[in-house]
Structure formats: C-alpha cells, structure tokens
C-alpha cells in the first residue's frame, strides 16, 4: 500500500520544528506503523537525509517506549493498542497520516517524535516503590491477598508508563499514570504500609513537574493502550484525602 | 512517618492542600456541590409559584423574616462562588500552561462537550447569576418590562403587606427576551452540572466501578431535572399562567 506521512521534524530541543511530508510506497499492510517508519528511514538514509527520530524498544506493546500521536490520537485510534502494535491494515491505501510527538510542558521534545519523559521517573522516585529491608527472600505465598484486591491492583499495574494519558488529556494531566501507580501499590499489603507518604509525595512530584489537573474528560482512559479506567483516579483522590486527614489528625 | 508524611510536616498540610492540584479539585467539588444544594433548594421554593400567588408571596415573605438565616446562606454562597471561581481560574491557567504547544490535529477522544467547555459554561453562568441578582434580589427595574418591581406590593392572608413576588415573576417572564435569556441561563448551568456532578464525585474519590454507571445517571438525571424544573416557570407564563396578576 501507499501512505503519505506528515511528520513533525525538529532538530533539537531548542530548534524550531515543522511538518515535513514523506511518501511510504509499497509498504505491506502487515507492517506496524513503526516498521513503516523504519522503511521510510532506510530511504531517507539512502538518499543522504536525516532519519526520523522516534522512540521504541520492545515493539510488542509492553515497554511503553513508543510514543506517537497519530492523526490527533496518542497511539492512534485503535483501542488498547500501542503505536508499535498498530498495523497498517487499519489504514486505507492512499491515506495521509499525521504524526506528532507527545505535547506537554513536562515532556519537552528532544528530537522529532522523541520526548523527554524523565518527569515520570521523578514521580516514581518520589514514591512509586515499596521499601523492603534486605534479608532472606520471603515466601511468595506467605501473605494471603484477597482475589478482588489482586485483580484491582493488577488492573492498575498493567500501566507501562508510556505517557499517552498525558498526551491525550486536554490539560496534559498525568493523573491516570500517577493514579495507576498509587492504586496498584496501595491495594497490596506490601505497599499499603507506605500508602500515606506515597500518595502525598507522588502528587507533589506530579504537580511540581508542571502537569495539568484532571477535569474528568476521560480522554486518558480512551487512549490508554492498557485500558486502565479512570476509577483509579477516584481511588487516588480518596487515598489523598485519607492521607491528609491521617497526617493531620493522627499522632 | 506520618508526622512527616510525604516530606511535609503536619503543620504545613493546609498550605499543601491548597497548593496541590488534588486539593484545588476537592475545593471545586465541595463548593460546586454546595452551590448545587442551593440551586436545588431554590428550585423547590420557586416551584411554589404553581401553588398560586398567596403561597409564593407568603413563602417569600417568610424567607425575608428569617433575615439572619438568609445572611448565613448568602455569605456561604459568596464564599463558595469566590472559591469555586478562583480555583477554576487557577486550575484552568495551569492546565493551559501544561500544553504550551498545541497539536496540529487535536481530537480529545472521549471528552464530552460539557467536559471540554466547563470554564466557558461556568463563566456564562456567573454572568447570568449577576444579572439574575440584579433583576430579582436587588429588584432593579429592568426597562424591558416597563415595570418598577420595587413598587409591587401585595397583602397576605394575615394582613401584612409585602413584596409581590408572584407579580414580579409573571411581569418579568411576560417579556419573551427575559424568558429566553433565563432559559438559556439555566440551560448553561445544567450543562455545566451534567459534567460537574460526575466530576465532583470523581474529585472527592466517591466513585468506583460498581457505582460508576449510577453516578453518571445521577449526574445527568439531576441536571435534566433541574433544567425542566427551572424552565417550567417561564414556559408556564408564556402559556398564559398568572397573567391576571398583571391587571
Ligand atoms: C451555580 C453555579 C455553579 C455550580 C452549581 C457549579 C458546580 C460545579 C461542580 C459540581 C463542579 C465539579 C467539581 C469537580 O470537578 O470536582 C464544577 C466544576 C467546575 N466549575 Fe462550576 N459551578 C458553578 C459555577 C461556576 C462558575 C461561575 C465557573 C467559572 C468561572 C465554574 C467553573 C468550573 C470549572 C472550570 C470546573 C471544573 C471543570 C471540571 O472539573 O471538569 N463553575 N462546577
Ligand atoms: S515499543 Fe514497547 S510498547 Fe511500543
């Protein structure tokens, strides 16, 4: 098939960017969008041009590295699919596809379609972990956990940290990401110990990074490649209120 | 650990609350629901118009005899409106700043019209409320109607003379412009609320997968109920209800 691409090109973080048009000729419908970009880059390199920079790693929808806004929708408009798993058969022959990087102040463009997502790392560093004293590894089944808690925790733990929620939100809010981590860890007994400190610290790191606030539009859940629902955000709001009350009145 | 929860001491919790995006949303939700409670109670008062002039005027007169209570409510509402609007403005500016470079193609998947336009529907509601207060509470004469509302007096069953609210409402809504403006105003408010109620439950963390569908239905149901209730009064007047009071 033949596709026309309008791709955001930007040399460096400080350079001005603009859209360039490329033609992807004779690409197979079974290719993923990223494989098509590989082909386009081969042609660009062969003709002495600068290949299009984009992020990817696993190419099987589990690492969260790929990050392209496809025709206005992060990861494209197929539900529960990352850009690396989006195949060209979902486009029509002759289509023009617009590719843009994630747009958010905390995610500055580094080059072309690649953005700096360190802001997410800083949020994780603030509290997205469970502190464990070193020693002999405990028996995996020593702590019984109710099945419903496990299921809810896993529904949130599937977050791959790609940032599509931020990219889709009209406020560039990172709530779905932060709420996924907060929910996942606070639902499990190992993480529950630090739940108050965690939610307060992670929310603060999120605000400090400059992400917007949630206005409950639901765009994040509509684009999440892992189909995480915004009820995790309600859970985080509840955790936050609970943590403030507890920190304020207990002790 | 708790004393230094998240690296903040207990003493600094309140500033932290006001400073954080979640805290601001809590305030928006609480003040929004507070105003919603007022809007609902206000409607039950207004609907007494259908019980006739005597009932409505006696109710209005009764309210004004409880002047202290009225002032408590007024002050609360003023604080709510002030907090709601200031948080709305601060959050909206922050939200805009979070995306300095817009997308060339922006689709906002999943976002309803009401959800996208909260700041606009809210701002228009604020303008409408200002007009509404001038029109009714302050009894400013609106040249459109050609009546000086302040002069409308009536005598209640117990012999007291008081302001004739019934006649004021009918005179006001006899002007199509006034009625249309009013219906558009309450329409905007209910549009705001159709998203706002759902968002408030979310912001306060009072939502989960079990209750999600119920919360959505409650939000749109309440918004529609309020709209039908408020709009029924100008519609009834347009259909001729209460016209004899003007003669
Ligand atoms: C009678 C007047 C009003 C009522 C009853 C009302 C009610 C509400 C409620 C219940 C919410 C949900 C809170 C939340 O998101 O957690 C809300 C949100 C909001 N309101 Fe209002 N509001 C009113 C007036 C206004 C005004 C005058 C403005 C604007 C200046 C405004 C702007 C907003 C904004 C920006 C939001 C957040 C939008 C969102 O969460 O999606 N509101 N309002
Ligand atoms: S490259 Fe790993 S999820 Fe797409």
């Amino acid at each position: 098939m033949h596709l026309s691409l309008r791709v955001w090109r930007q040399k460096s973080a400080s350079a001005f960017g603009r859209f360039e048009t490329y033609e992807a000729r004779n690409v197979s419908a079974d290719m993923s969008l990223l494989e098509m970009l590989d082909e386009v880059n081969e042609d660009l390199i062969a003709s002495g041009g600068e290949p299009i920079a984009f992020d990817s790693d696993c190419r099987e929808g589990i690492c969260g590295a790929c990050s392209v806004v496809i025709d206005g929708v992060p990861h494209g408009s197929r539900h529960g699919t990352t850009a690396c798993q989006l195949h060209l058969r979902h486009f029509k022959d002759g289509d023009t596809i617009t590719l843009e990087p994630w747009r958010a102040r905390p995610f500055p463009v580094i080059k072309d379609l690649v953005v700096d997502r360190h802001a997410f790392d800083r949020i994780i560093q603030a509290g997205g972990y469970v502190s464990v004293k070193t020693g002999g590894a405990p028996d995996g089944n020593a702590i019984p956990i109710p099945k419903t808690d496990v299921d809810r925790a896993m529904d949130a733990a599937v977050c791959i940290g790609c940032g599509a929620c931020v990219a889709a939100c009209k406020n560039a809010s990172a709530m779905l990401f932060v709420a996924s981590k907060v929910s996942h860890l606070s639902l499990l007994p190992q993480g529950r110990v630090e739940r108050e400190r965690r939610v307060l610290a992670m929310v603060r790191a999120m605000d400090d990074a400059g992400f917007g606030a949630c206005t409950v539009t639901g765009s994040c859940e509509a684009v999440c490649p892992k189909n995480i629902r915004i009820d995790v955000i309600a859970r985080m709001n509840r955790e936050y209120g609970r943590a403030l009350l507890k920190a304020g009145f207990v002790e | 650990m708790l004393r230094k929860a998240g690296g903040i001491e207990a003493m600094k919790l309140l500033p932290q609350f006001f400073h954080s995006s979640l805290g601001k949303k809590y305030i928006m939700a609480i003040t929004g629901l507070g105003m919603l409670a007022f809007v609902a109670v206000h409607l039950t008062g207004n609907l007494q118009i259908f019980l006739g002039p005597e009932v409505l005027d006696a109710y209005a007169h009764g309210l004004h005899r409880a002047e202290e209570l009225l002032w408590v409510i007024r002050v609360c509402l003023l604080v709510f409106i002030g907090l709601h609007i200031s948080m709305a403005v601060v959050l909206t500016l922050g939200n805009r700043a979070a995306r300095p470079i817009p997308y060339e193609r922006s689709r906002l998947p999943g976002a309803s019209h009401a959800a996208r336009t909260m700041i606009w529907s809210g701002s228009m509601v604020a303008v409408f409320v200002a007009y509404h207060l001038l029109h009714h509470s302050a009894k400013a004469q609106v040249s459109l109607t050609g009546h000086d509302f302040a002069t409308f007096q009536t005598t209640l069953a117990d012999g007291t003379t008081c302001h004739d609210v019934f006649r004021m409402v009918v005179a006001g809504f006899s002007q199509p412009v006034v009625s249309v403006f009013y219906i558009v105003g309450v329409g905007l408010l209910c549009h705001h609320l159709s998203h706002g109620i759902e968002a408030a439950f979310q912001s306060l963390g009072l939502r989960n997968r079990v209750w999600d569908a119920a919360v959505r239905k409650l939000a749109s149901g309440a918004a529609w109920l309020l709209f039908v209730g408020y709009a029924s009064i100008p519609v009834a007047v347009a259909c001729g209800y209460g016209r004899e009071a003007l003669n």
Side-chain angles (χ1 to χ4, degrees):
Chain A
M1 54 196 294
H2 175 161
L3 295 167
S4 297
L5 308 177
R6 293 185 61 246
V7 184
W8 181 259
R9 301 302 310 263
Q10 181 173 337
K11 275 205 164 55
S12 67
S14 54
F16 277 109
R18 66 193 148 84
F19 283 97
E20 297 272 2
T21 307
Y22 301 93
E23 302 300 324
R25 287 179 230 279
N26 287 324
V27 285
S28 154
D30 295 331
M31 280 180 174
S32 72
L33 186 100
L34 301 192
E35 284 165 336
M36 173 196 64
L37 285 179
D38 290 336
E39 295 270 308
V40 171
N41 278 346
E42 293 290 338
D43 290 348
L44 274 173
I45 293 165
S47 61
E50 177 77 15
I52 300 163
F54 62 92
D55 252 329
S56 82
D57 189 11
C58 70
R59 301 236 176 159
E60 55 182 11
I62 57 170
C63 75
C66 55
S67 47
V68 196
V69 175
I70 302 158
D71 287 337
V73 181
H75 293 305
S77 40
R78 260 187 80 75
H79 265 285
T81 309
T82 52
C84 60
Q85 289 285 295
L86 180 66
H87 292 94
L88 298 187
R89 54 180 165 272
H90 301 300
F91 296 93
K92 284 199 294 292
D93 193 29
D95 272 358
T96 299
I97 308 176
T98 305
L99 302 180
E100 297 176 77
W102 283 180
R103 293 284 188 202
R105 189 160 61 110
F107 286 166
V109 173
I110 300 170
K111 189 174 183 187
D112 299 342
L113 302 174
V114 179
V115 299
D116 178 354
R117 280 173 286 184
H118 272 104
F120 269 13
D121 298 342
R122 288 192 292 274
I123 295 173
I124 294 295
Q125 280 161 4
Y129 52 80
V130 173
S131 312
V132 188
K133 296 260 194 289
T134 52
D139 176 3
N141 294 319
I143 309 172
I145 308 171
K147 172 85 169 97
T148 46
D149 285 2
V150 174
D151 287 349
R152 275 195 236 111
M154 288 307 143
D155 285 349
V158 289
C159 171
I160 53 177
C162 62
C165 43
V166 175
C169 174
K170 82 177 177 52
N171 311 322
S173 170
M175 291 274 211
L176 194 70
F177 167 73
V178 182
S180 295
K181 303 303 171 193
V182 165
S183 298
H184 155 208
L185 295 171
S186 72
L187 275 161
L188 297 175
Q190 296 90 339
R192 205 166 285 157
V193 181
E194 295 169 290
R195 64 197 281 195
E196 292 87 12
R197 197 201 60 77
R198 173 181 307 113
V199 67
L200 294 176
M202 289 183 83
V203 167
R204 186 140 77 158
M206 170 181 86
D207 287 341
D208 286 350
F211 291 104
C214 177
T215 56
V216 203
T217 65
S219 292
C220 53
E221 69 173 5
V223 302
C224 176
K226 297 294 148 188
N227 291 324
I228 299 174
R229 316 308 309 243
I230 57 171
D231 57 317
V232 295
I233 300 180
R235 180 179 294 278
M236 174 170 72
N237 289 332
R238 199 155 65 233
E239 281 287 316
Y240 186 77
R242 185 184 169 283
L244 279 181
L245 285 177
K246 209 168 165 192
F249 296 115
V250 182
E251 286 276 305
Chain B
M1 183 191 86
L2 287 176
R3 191 169 282 272
K4 285 207 82 167
I8 36 165
E9 286 150 39
M11 286 305 289
K12 300 202 183 113
L13 282 173
L14 209 59
Q16 151 96 3
F17 180 71
F18 273 92
H19 199 72
S20 77
S21 55
L22 267 62
K24 293 194 189 86
K25 290 296 302 205
Y26 262 87
I27 295 168
M28 287 223 67
I30 292 166
T31 54
L33 292 180
M35 291 191 282
L36 171 68
F38 171 78
V39 167
V41 172
H42 186 35
L43 177 63
T44 62
N46 289 4
L47 286 178
Q48 293 183 33
I49 193 168
F50 292 116
L51 301 177
E54 299 76 20
V55 177
L56 184 72
D57 290 338
Y59 163 73
H61 185 61
L63 266 188
H64 282 275
R65 267 196 309 214
E67 197 66 22
E68 298 81 8
L69 180 71
L70 275 192
W71 275 110
V72 172
I73 296 175
R74 283 182 191 135
V75 169
C76 280
L77 277 178
L78 217 60
V79 171
F80 282 1
I81 291 176
L83 281 173
H84 193 80
I85 295 183
S86 48
M87 294 297 138
V89 170
V90 170
L91 284 171
T92 303
L93 291 178
N95 293 346
R96 301 234 165 117
R99 172 154 305 132
I101 304 170
Y103 290 109
E104 198 207 38
R105 294 197 58 180
S106 179
R107 298 250 296 269
L108 302 181
S112 68
H113 180 268
R116 292 171 194 215
T117 53
M118 287 299 273
I119 191 69
W120 300 115
S121 58
S123 305
M124 286 188 275
V125 168
V127 171
F128 173 73
V129 168
Y131 159 83
H132 184 67
L133 289 180
L134 279 177
H135 195 176
H136 286 171
S137 297
K139 303 183 188 73
Q141 181 181 358
V142 175
S143 54
L144 274 175
T145 62
H147 294 289
D148 182 354
F149 291 160
T151 63
F152 288 8
Q153 296 290 326
T154 189
T155 309
L156 294 178
D158 64 5
T160 41
T161 315
C162 67
H163 181 56
D164 190 348
V165 175
F166 188 87
R167 195 141 63 98
M168 177 180 79
V169 173
V170 175
F173 287 147
S174 298
Q175 293 299 319
V177 194
V178 174
S179 291
V180 169
F181 185 72
Y182 183 84
I183 293 174
V184 170
V186 291
L188 281 167
L189 172 63
C190 296
H191 193 51
H192 189 78
L193 289 174
S194 68
H195 178 69
I197 297 172
E198 186 191 331
F201 275 88
Q202 172 87 0
S203 300
L204 297 174
L206 302 175
R207 204 174 167 192
N208 63 23
R209 235 172 270 181
V210 179
W211 289 101
D212 192 49
V215 168
R216 272 169 210 264
K217 285 203 190 91
L218 175 85
S220 64
W224 272 109
L225 207 66
L226 287 173
F227 178 70
V228 170
Y230 275 103
S232 69
I233 299 169
V235 169
V237 172
C239 295
Y241 180 75
R243 281 295 160 87
E244 60 283 355
L246 292 185
N247 308 320

